[in-house]
Amino acid sequence: MTSKNLFTKIKKNWGSVIFYAIILLLIFSPAAKSWVLERVISTGFFNAKIKREAAANLQAPPVFSLQDSNGNIISSASLKGKVVLINFWASWCPPCRAEMPSLNKLYLTLKNDNRFVLLFVNEDEDKSKAAQFIQQNNFSIPIYNRLQFPPEIFSGTLPTTVILDKNGNIVSKHEGIANYDNDKFISQLKALL
């Protein structure tokens, strides 16, 4: 087939060529997938909400620990008296990437209110990729590494967001994508104070 024939065939079927190019892009590009998912959550259909689900059969609040980027260890005991949002994410995860702008906005809204703690636990094997993703997107969120978490909080699904009340009890656990920067969700967080 000559280049002229190929060009003629592409010209005749340009719609199909574009369609398949878009499909291939969505299959192989995490950035393209996250862009599409970000547009979907911006519709409002995936707004986060606190459903006040008590963790089944927990006699006491879950015990966990994590480490910040400076090597400081944070334990669940040190967070008592605060409403805590824990988000588990990875830079290679398109749904995680898609919800990160809304989580960053939520963090900026609440970061100066010491009654709230927002913990963004990275699950990348190469931790430098997470820092690079945060920097490239001009996000302000601090990155933490998981040390010890019970399965009631994190069982491996990304993204997962857990909310703890002031006593350290799980009041909500959401596995999957959501938009966290909305007034209703912020009001529900403040109602836990």
Side-chain angles (χ1 to χ4, degrees):
M1 177 180 286
T2 67
S3 60
K4 186 176 179 180
N5 289 344
L6 179 63
F7 181 71
T8 304
K9 235 181 188 177
I10 290 173
K11 192 174 175 183
K12 276 181 151 179
N13 299 308
W14 67 270
S16 295
V17 170
I18 291 173
F19 174 76
Y20 289 118
I22 290 170
I23 296 299
L24 289 172
L25 185 65
L26 290 173
I27 290 171
F28 295 110
S29 173
K33 286 182 217 173
S34 65
W35 183 84
V36 169
L37 290 171
E38 195 175 329
R39 300 290 115 16
V40 170
I41 65 171
S42 71
T43 63
F45 288 118
F46 294 94
N47 281 346
K49 55 188 155 280
I50 298 174
K51 298 177 187 171
R52 293 207 178 247
E53 309 160 353
N57 301 322
L58 288 182
Q59 301 297 325
V63 175
F64 61 88
S65 62
L66 48 106
Q67 186 175 40
D68 69 14
S69 58
N70 297 323
N72 300 316
I73 295 178
I74 299 167
S75 69
S76 52
S78 68
L79 301 171
K80 294 280 187 198
K82 299 178 186 289
V83 173
V84 179
L85 179 143
I86 307 167
N87 177 264
F88 296 89
W89 68 284
S91 65
W92 51 263
C93 166
C96 302
R97 293 168 64 115
E99 73 179 9
M100 196 56 68
S102 75
L103 285 165
N104 188 65
K105 288 178 186 172
L106 178 66
Y107 173 75
L108 293 173
T109 300
L110 298 176
K111 76 176 186 176
N112 294 321
D113 189 335
N114 63 4
R115 302 173 298 171
F116 297 97
V117 176
L118 281 70
L119 303 170
F120 300 94
V121 183
N122 180 257
E123 293 296 316
D124 279 300
E125 284 185 32
D126 180 353
K127 301 301 180 189
S128 67
K129 289 185 179 183
Q132 182 181 14
F133 172 76
I134 295 298
Q135 185 179 20
Q136 285 175 344
N137 290 283
N138 296 318
F139 294 141
S140 300
I141 65 166
I143 302 172
Y144 296 90
N145 296 314
R146 177 170 48 101
L147 296 177
Q148 172 196 0
F149 275 93
E152 295 85 16
I153 291 183
F154 183 63
S155 59
T157 302
L158 292 177
T160 293
T161 303
V162 177
I163 300 169
L164 308 176
D165 67 12
K166 296 186 305 184
N167 298 317
N169 297 310
I170 298 171
V171 294
S172 183
K173 180 178 179 180
H174 177 73
E175 294 177 335
I177 195 169
N179 176 20
Y180 293 93
D181 181 41
N182 65 77
D183 293 336
K184 185 176 180 183
F185 180 71
I186 293 170
S187 295
Q188 289 177 329
L189 278 178
K190 289 182 177 180
L192 295 172
L193 294 172

